[in-house]
Amino acid sequence: MLTRSCPPELVDRVVGEAGRSERRRRLLSARFTVYFVLAMCLFPQADYLEVLRLVKTGDAGLRPWPGVNKSSLTRARQRLGWTVLRDLFRAVARPLGGAGELFHGLRVLALDGMLLAVPDSAGNNEAFGKSGSQRSPMGYPQARVVAVAECSTHAVLDAVIGGFKDSERIVSDALDAHVGAGTLLLADRGLWGLARWHRLRNQGAHLLWRIERRKARRVQDVLPDGSYLARIEANKHSKAKGTPKAPPALVRVIEYRVDGQADIVRLITSLTDHEKYPAAELAMLYARRWEIELVFDEIKTHQRGRPVLRSQTPDGVRQEIYAHLIVHHATRDFLHEAARLHDSIAERTSFTRALHVVRRTVTSPSGFSPLRSQT
């Protein structure tokens, strides 16, 4: 499954473009190290040497590794670097949903962030930071991952890594892949920003965003479905001195209340055609933003399998996180293909069961075929 998602030719190309190709023949090549790091994320409870044995079990044709130990595997990871895994993730990440999963021709994506606990080393603490104050830090350092995911298939399409103290809003500004023409991006109010709105609209993306009730109050026109057009402006009390303020934007506002809750939900969208995009449909669609929370649960709870990542250095943490994202996308790709063949829906199929299947493909001898007679 790993070589299906990340073919050796693709791995070699990404390694070469990153300048990580070997100048001399090594026992632990850059290509093998990529697959080792991916297998390390598939088997989070196993130590380095056990992961190595599992990979060896899956391919008896691999030559023996005399003298390979945890230190040599650590050095191989350090030689490889973290940008190779980032570039490999960006090379394999792609939308998986078909035409039947679009909303009026738009691919529905969600934007949000999650925190991952990392080992409490000096380097990780300095690079990522902890909760609490500087004098009284608490718990483990935490890496902040902000990602864009396809709601229908749970495929993560792009991700950026920051620290605990970094704002999700600022980190999200580095997300550009797959957010453009033909997409509808859902986001919560914590990620709102007028300049960010304009940037994403300039990329061609349509937006459906929850926003605070005190914003978008300059009503321009009331539409027949109960939504209305409003003008939203930059905060005149912004503390960012010297930063040019974003121009105003005309948005469509949709307000509704969920049964049993007193709060009014206020959405703004760039889809101003009330006939093509009725307010009731957009209100129901916004609930799909929670699909990205399920994506994070798949990665943090089921795939990661441990409360804290294993890498002791910031570069190792970044490498490990992108490897987890590659493994998740490979599993989701496999699950979506299985659902297509059986005419079912991928998001209703067990991710955990698919993950078990992917793990078995690593440890199963690749040369065995049940269709070929054995002599």
Side-chain angles (χ1 to χ4, degrees):
M1 289 303 305
L2 295 182
T3 53
R4 175 181 179 270
S5 180
C6 303
E9 299 79 12
L10 174 61
V11 173
D12 290 344
R13 176 174 65 80
V14 172
V15 167
E17 291 174 352
R20 298 291 178 170
S21 299
E22 294 88 356
R23 296 182 181 179
R24 61 185 178 87
R25 188 174 182 182
R26 291 185 179 274
L27 188 62
L28 298 174
S29 67
R31 177 202 286 183
F32 177 80
T33 304
V34 168
Y35 290 119
F36 171 79
V37 175
L38 296 178
M40 184 184 76
C41 293
L42 263 178
F43 302 99
Q45 303 293 352
D47 61 29
Y48 276 15
L49 294 181
E50 179 62 21
V51 173
L52 196 63
R53 283 190 285 269
L54 291 170
V55 174
K56 178 65 174 176
T57 301
D59 193 344
L62 290 173
R63 57 179 178 161
W65 291 289
V68 171
N69 53 32
K70 180 179 178 180
S71 297
S72 54
L73 290 166
T74 299
R75 290 193 297 272
R77 287 188 61 192
Q78 292 171 345
R79 287 195 302 271
L80 183 67
W82 70 273
T83 58
V84 171
L85 273 297
R86 179 199 62 190
D87 296 345
L88 183 60
F89 165 69
R90 291 177 176 174
V92 302
R94 70 187 193 284
L96 302 177
E101 297 167 304
L102 304 181
F103 174 76
H104 293 285
L106 298 173
R107 189 174 303 279
V108 181
L109 312 177
L111 169 66
D112 209 343
M114 66 175 172
L115 290 170
L116 294 174
V118 303
D120 195 0
S121 65
N124 286 344
N125 192 22
E126 181 179 357
F128 301 111
K130 297 181 178 182
S131 60
S133 65
Q134 186 173 1
R135 291 185 177 182
S136 302
M138 297 184 297
Y140 288 95
Q142 298 183 82
R144 186 180 300 279
V145 182
V146 182
V148 172
E150 186 179 30
C151 291
S152 61
T153 65
H154 290 190
V156 179
L157 305 183
D158 198 8
V160 181
I161 303 170
F164 175 79
K165 301 294 185 182
D166 297 329
S167 166
E168 280 188 355
R169 302 181 184 188
I170 303 302
V171 175
S172 69
D173 287 338
L175 293 169
D176 291 317
H178 302 287
V179 181
T183 64
L184 174 60
L185 184 64
L186 314 181
D188 200 3
R189 52 193 167 191
L191 289 158
W192 162 253
L194 186 56
R196 191 167 301 108
W197 178 277
H198 284 297
R199 180 178 64 82
L200 293 169
R201 288 292 294 128
N202 289 338
Q203 291 176 206
H206 279 290
L207 307 172
L208 181 60
W209 221 300
R210 187 172 181 180
I211 198 169
E212 297 175 0
R213 290 187 61 191
R214 59 188 177 86
K215 295 186 182 295
R217 300 175 66 178
R218 297 176 179 268
V219 179
Q220 304 289 308
D221 189 18
V222 178
L223 303 176
D225 63 353
S227 62
Y228 58 90
L229 301 180
R231 191 165 175 259
I232 189 167
E233 298 180 347
N235 185 357
K236 62 181 180 180
H237 300 296
S238 175
K239 297 179 180 180
K241 295 182 179 179
T243 303
K245 294 187 182 298
L250 182 67
V251 300
R252 180 178 169 208
V253 183
I254 301 168
E255 294 181 337
Y256 62 95
R257 181 182 286 110
V258 178
D259 290 343
Q261 297 185 13
D263 292 341
I264 294 178
V265 178
R266 172 176 288 193
L267 306 179
I268 60 173
T269 181
S270 59
L271 301 172
T272 56
D273 189 339
H274 66 278
E275 294 182 348
K276 186 175 181 180
Y277 309 103
E281 287 189 17
L282 292 175
M284 292 179 62
L285 179 69
Y286 183 74
R288 302 214 64 187
R289 191 199 68 80
W290 285 99
E291 297 292 341
I292 196 170
E293 303 292 349
L294 300 178
V295 172
F296 293 155
D297 178 70
E298 291 169 357
I299 296 172
K300 294 175 66 174
T301 305
H302 304 287
Q303 181 177 300
R304 181 179 57 169
R306 54 192 296 159
V308 182
L309 297 179
R310 68 171 85 206
S311 301
Q312 298 289 329
T313 66
D315 284 356
V317 167
R318 297 182 183 99
Q319 182 189 76
E320 188 177 352
I321 290 174
Y322 279 114
H324 269 294
L325 293 172
I326 293 171
V327 169
H328 181 268
H329 195 280
T331 306
R332 271 289 157 195
D333 189 10
F334 162 69
L335 204 157
H336 186 266
E337 179 65 14
R340 186 188 65 82
L341 292 174
H342 291 274
D343 196 25
S344 61
I345 301 176
E347 62 182 310
R348 295 182 182 176
T349 310
S350 171
F351 174 81
T352 304
R353 183 173 297 178
L355 191 60
H356 291 329
V357 173
V358 174
R359 285 170 176 157
R360 287 200 297 270
T361 67
V362 175
T363 58
S364 300
S366 58
F368 173 77
S369 171
L371 302 180
R372 187 175 65 233
S373 61
Q374 305 297 306
T375 57

